[in-house]
Amino acid sequence: MSTKRSRIAERLLAGGTEPDPRFTLANERTFLAWIRTSLAFLAGGVAVEAFTGDLFQEPVRKALSIILLLLGMFISGGSAVRWINVERSLRHGLPLPLPLIAPILGIGGAVVAAVVVFLVLLS
């Protein structure tokens, strides 16, 4: 059985020692949780555009949809970058990186919620 990693894995992970598989698997589960969250934002953006035509005016509906879709896109891309960075940190015994996608998620979700609350109060 070969213990050599593929060239892509060698290039992305850049050396270090193999971490405990439990840590790698936990990192993968966290990545998948971020992906599920991004899918929820993408579905929310599609749902707002498709089903709220009689609730919101078109510019508001489009803005909310675009914000939700962009959040889903950023969270999805950010989760892949985070997964690689955490895996590299585990392999090199470095501190785990700060999750930069968490503030994007929090601020973006708060903006969308504030707009919806404001519109509900106006109606």
Side-chain angles (χ1 to χ4, degrees), residues 3-117:
T3 60
K4 189 169 180 172
R5 292 191 153 276
S6 70
R7 287 191 343 207
I8 292 174
E10 285 295 329
R11 187 177 183 124
L12 288 175
L13 300 176
T17 59
E18 195 73 25
D20 185 325
R22 293 174 292 180
F23 298 131
T24 296
L25 293 173
N27 189 27
E28 287 180 14
R29 285 190 301 274
T30 303
F31 167 74
L32 292 173
W34 282 112
I35 292 296
R36 283 190 302 273
T37 302
S38 75
L39 289 172
F41 273 92
L42 292 171
V46 170
V48 165
E49 180 58 31
F51 301 117
T52 63
D54 52 343
L55 295 175
F56 303 129
Q57 295 176 358
E58 184 178 351
V60 172
R61 188 178 72 240
K62 291 219 180 279
L64 286 174
S65 292
I66 289 170
I67 291 170
L68 288 168
L69 292 170
L70 286 174
L71 280 170
M73 183 181 74
F74 286 130
I75 292 167
S76 180
S79 67
V81 171
R82 174 149 175 83
W83 177 81
I84 295 266
N85 288 337
V86 167
E87 192 66 23
R88 283 182 188 150
S89 293
L90 290 172
R91 291 173 179 280
H92 294 282
L94 299 172
L96 295 180
L98 192 66
L100 297 177
I101 54 178
I104 292 171
L105 174 63
I107 292 168
V111 167
V112 170
V115 169
V116 171
V117 167

